[in-house]
Amino acid sequence: MNAGGQPANRTPLLAGNWKMHKTVAEARSFVARLLPQLPDRGAIEVGLCPPFLGLRAVAEAAAGSGVKLYAQNMHHAQEGAFTGEVSAPMLVEAGVDGVILGHSERRAYFGESDRELQLKVPAALQAGLMPILCVGETEEERDRGDTERRLRHQVQEDLHLVDSERLSEVVIAYEPVWAIGTGRVASTEQCDEAMSFIRALVGDRCKEQAELTRILYGGSVNAENAAELLALPDVDGALVGGASLDPYSFAAIAAAAVR
Ligand code: 13P
């Protein structure tokens, strides 16, 4: 165990999800300003999730820094007649290390289904990409007491085709929909409850893998609230939206994540 309570083999992960922000030029300038600000990362992993067109630029600008590169989506097939989509091998070729899957914005605005995610998660793993699977309840679901039902459904369905012995290669991001972009961060209690519930769900498949699985919190994380959230025993890092767009606030969150 380290100071934050995590077993040493769950390296904390901080990922900045830029969503549909930053041109290639802006992405380059961000990385140039971020790198000197990043704390000596020690045992923490830091990654950026630019839009597809920014991936190459970030890979080049961050080369040799140890900063990881994640995409925001991918198709499950290796290639095919899927206009507008990008496949795992294409991401690997671009120097990408992992991919966000099932973000609530993709589920809500682009109809991404658990059925599709069931194929995407193993496809990412097979290509050598680290999936960051997002799950989380809406405000309505929380209000009517359906949080656990929603999380159970998403975790069980989306991981269904992942071999039990590979479960810990999937990072799970708990992102309550009502906390995304709203400034309403989950309380430490809500966070704690959801995180340990998610870990128990993975544990239903394989106890050992559940202990190794990294679970992130996402939703209105910023430089002020990061330290408190990241200190929770089941929180293995954060997936940050708005506050990751500024290199100084993202670096401050990285500093809070270092133990
Ligand atoms: P915010 O940090 O802007 O609330 O977004 C969270 C998120 O959706 C990260 O994937």
Side-chain angles (χ1 to χ4, degrees), residues 176-245:
V177 179
W178 48 269
I180 295 179
T182 58
R184 284 175 58 201
V185 71
S187 69
T188 50
E189 217 169 62
Q190 289 169 324
C191 209
D192 236 357
E193 251 176 40
M195 303 304 234
S196 46
F197 183 68
I198 291 169
R199 197 174 301 288
L201 289 172
V202 180
D204 289 342
R205 292 270 311 275
C206 177
K207 287 257 173 308
E208 270 171 25
Q209 290 287 305
E211 279 314 303
L212 298 172
T213 298
R214 291 186 292 179
I215 307 178
L216 315 182
Y217 170 77
S220 297
V221 174
N222 59 35
E224 284 74 48
N225 60 28
E228 186 180 29
L229 289 161
L230 292 167
L232 295 173
D234 264 313
V235 177
D236 302 311
L239 183 54
V240 183
S244 75
L245 295 174

Side-chain angles (χ1 to χ4, degrees), residues 107-241:
R107 292 178 189 258
Y109 308 143
F110 304 101
E112 182 156 46
S113 65
D114 292 308
R115 237 185 134 72
E116 276 174 74
L117 289 161
Q118 214 169 75
L119 301 175
K120 286 186 181 197
V121 179
L125 284 175
Q126 201 196 349
L129 294 171
M130 179 188 80
I132 303 176
L133 173 68
C134 300
V135 297
E137 80 288 359
T138 61
E139 181 157 38
E140 243 181 26
E141 286 164 343
R142 176 163 284 272
D143 287 349
R144 55 165 199 258
D146 272 347
T147 298
E148 293 198 344
R149 198 153 70 116
R150 164 56 66 200
L151 295 177
R152 182 182 303 110
H153 183 81
Q154 291 177 328
V155 171
Q156 289 181 346
E157 289 289 305
D158 302 354
L159 296 180
H160 184 65
L161 297 178
V162 175
D163 288 343
S164 292
E165 65 274 17
R166 295 198 74 179
L167 283 169
S168 66
E169 294 174 50
V170 181
V171 172
I172 301 177
Y174 169 59
E175 298 207 313
V177 179
W178 48 269
I180 295 179
T182 58
R184 284 175 58 201
V185 71
S187 69
T188 50
E189 217 169 62
Q190 289 169 324
C191 209
D192 236 357
E193 251 176 40
M195 303 304 234
S196 46
F197 183 68
I198 291 169
R199 197 174 301 288
L201 289 172
V202 180
D204 289 342
R205 292 270 311 275
C206 177
K207 287 257 173 308
E208 270 171 25
Q209 290 287 305
E211 279 314 303
L212 298 172
T213 298
R214 291 186 292 179
I215 307 178
L216 315 182
Y217 170 77
S220 297
V221 174
N222 59 35
E224 284 74 48
N225 60 28
E228 186 180 29
L229 289 161
L230 292 167
L232 295 173
D234 264 313
V235 177
D236 302 311
L239 183 54
V240 183

Side-chain angles (χ1 to χ4, degrees), residues 3-42:
Q6 276 93 0
N9 41 18
R10 290 207 312 260
T11 306
L13 169 63
L14 173 67
N17 176 9
W18 290 353
K19 309 189 177 183
M20 197 174 72
H21 291 279
K22 297 198 191 295
T23 62
V24 166
E26 288 166 346
R28 280 208 180 93
S29 136
F30 176 98
V31 175
R33 284 180 295 151
L34 174 71
L35 294 183
Q37 303 294 323
L38 279 182
D40 178 8
R41 291 187 296 287

